[in-house]
Amino acid sequence: MNQNLTLSERAEQTKLTRAEEKIVETVMNNIGETAFLNGAQLANFCGVSASLVTRLIQKLGYDGFHEFKREMQEIYRQEVTPYDIYQKHLSAEGKESSSIHQFIVENMENLAALEQNNSEETIDAVARAIHSADKVYILAMFASESPARTLAHYLDRLNISHQCVFDLGLSKKIEYLQPKPEDLVIAFSFQGILKEIYEACSYIVRNGTPVVSITDTKANRLTRLSEYSLTVSVSGSVFDYSHVATTAMVTLLANRLADTFDPEYLSSRFDQIRSEWKQKGLFLNTPK
């Protein structure tokens, strides 16, 4: 069986008994609880024997319970909203554990995961793809627009042709813009994966333009469309996604991108920027 299939896709393509279908339905309908249970607890939750759960996992093509549980937790991360997470903060228990320290700890974990989940080779490959593209299109909606604008700022500094495509109607805008195979599209989307982002990227890939996704898991449909995927965690005790790690990834990518340029070009480019700052009188203290 194709190992890239989701739990739902595996269940659709496997001839299951009614009892086995009931287990899958119970898991999917209660993913917030079932994703974190061990084998015995899951069997008890579903009201079946542990051996039946084991046979079902094997039948669905998973190597073992560990792989099945990892899939469940990926599904949970895709379905949970930041407001579900913040609801815990609003409870008495959540308030006791939430603080400036807790916020910092959570985002330190997000930053550590950035290094664990992304190879230097992939980041450098994305940097080279950006450098060689005729034009870079940056796709984002809502909270993701903030780190996407930061990326656009760095591309502007390096004089790389780019265009931001944001907000509702994004998929239609992309059809109008018609990115070419020589261009590159960088798409930001996290957890649930926004339908418009996915639809735009599906259209883009069908027309031969490569896509780089910046998302929070390698196990979603957006990453499967992408030539390269960069993974960052956006979880944390805030009322919306925490983009601390996303902004760090964008900054890291910008630094690696700068390294693909000739040092003399960078020096002349920065001199040009300083000259523009000086002419426009942007700062109280004139840059040297």
Side-chain angles (χ1 to χ4, degrees):
M1 182 173 288
N2 187 339
Q3 296 302 304
N4 289 325
L5 294 177
T6 64
L7 173 56
S8 296
E9 290 168 338
R10 289 171 189 252
E12 289 175 3
Q13 296 184 21
T14 306
K15 187 173 179 58
L16 301 178
T17 65
R18 182 61 193 129
E20 291 168 339
E21 288 177 350
K22 189 66 176 176
I23 295 172
V24 174
E25 289 171 6
T26 302
V27 167
M28 296 297 291
N29 292 335
N30 301 275
I31 196 68
E33 298 171 80
T34 57
F36 301 96
L37 301 177
N38 61 34
Q41 291 169 334
L42 181 62
N44 184 60
F45 188 92
C46 296
V48 298
S49 66
S51 60
L52 180 55
V53 171
T54 299
R55 287 197 299 273
L56 170 62
I57 291 171
Q58 292 172 344
K59 198 171 183 179
L60 291 171
Y62 292 100
D63 289 338
F65 183 79
H66 178 73
E67 184 183 2
F68 177 70
K69 184 174 181 178
R70 185 169 63 244
E71 169 75 7
M72 288 195 296
Q73 291 177 350
E74 291 289 359
I75 295 169
Y76 169 76
R77 280 192 283 271
Q78 293 298 303
E79 293 191 356
V80 70
T81 71
Y83 309 112
D84 296 327
I85 297 170
Y86 196 64
Q87 189 64 41
K88 295 179 182 178
H89 164 73
L90 296 178
S91 68
E93 179 183 355
K95 287 183 178 179
E96 289 176 5
S97 62
S98 181
S99 63
I100 294 174
H101 175 73
Q102 182 66 21
F103 174 82
I104 293 172
V105 168
E106 288 171 341
N107 279 289
M108 289 295 288
E109 291 174 355
N110 290 347
L111 290 168
L114 185 155
E115 183 177 17
Q116 294 167 5
N117 295 329
N118 301 277
S119 69
E120 187 173 334
E121 291 76 14
T122 300
I123 295 171
D124 285 347
V126 172
R128 291 191 297 271
I130 293 172
H131 190 159
S132 62
D134 282 358
K135 186 171 184 177
V136 177
Y137 291 89
I138 305 172
L139 278 55
M141 294 174 67
F142 310 132
S144 300
E145 291 180 20
S146 178
R149 289 184 191 279
T150 300
L151 176 59
H153 165 78
Y154 289 131
L155 297 187
D156 183 67
R157 282 285 183 263
L158 292 168
N159 202 27
I160 293 175
S161 177
H162 65 280
Q163 183 170 349
C164 293
V165 188
F166 293 163
D167 213 347
L168 295 172
L170 173 152
S171 56
K172 292 299 181 184
K173 294 174 189 175
I174 277 294
E175 290 184 22
Y176 174 78
L177 291 168
Q178 289 286 317
K180 305 186 303 295
E182 298 78 20
D183 298 328
L184 181 71
V185 171
I186 302 177
F188 291 75
S189 194
F190 300 88
Q191 297 194 336
I193 304 299
L194 290 159
K195 185 183 294 184
E196 282 218 53
I197 295 286
Y198 180 77
E199 290 175 350
C201 289
S202 296
Y203 174 83
I204 288 161
V205 170
R206 286 197 302 271
N207 285 277
T209 307
V211 170
V212 173
S213 61
I214 300 181
T215 182
D216 62 329
T217 173
K218 296 185 185 299
N220 63 50
R221 288 191 289 171
L222 180 59
T223 62
R224 291 167 192 160
L225 282 177
S226 308
E227 186 165 335
Y228 300 105
S229 181
L230 301 175
T231 306
V232 293
S233 175
V234 293
S235 62
S237 295
V238 293
F239 71 91
D240 210 323
Y241 302 131
S242 174
H243 279 298
V244 171
T246 318
T247 303
M249 171 59 82
V250 166
T251 306
L252 173 60
L253 180 58
N255 283 331
R256 301 305 296 167
L257 175 58
D259 286 342
T260 67
F261 286 85
D262 181 83
E264 291 186 7
Y265 167 79
L266 288 179
S267 181
S268 64
R269 176 63 183 159
F270 296 154
D271 285 344
Q272 179 186 352
I273 293 169
R274 291 191 190 94
S275 177
E276 291 172 357
W277 288 348
K278 187 174 181 180
Q279 290 173 7
K280 295 176 181 178
L282 297 179
F283 295 94
L284 291 175
N285 297 317
T286 304
K288 296 179 181 179

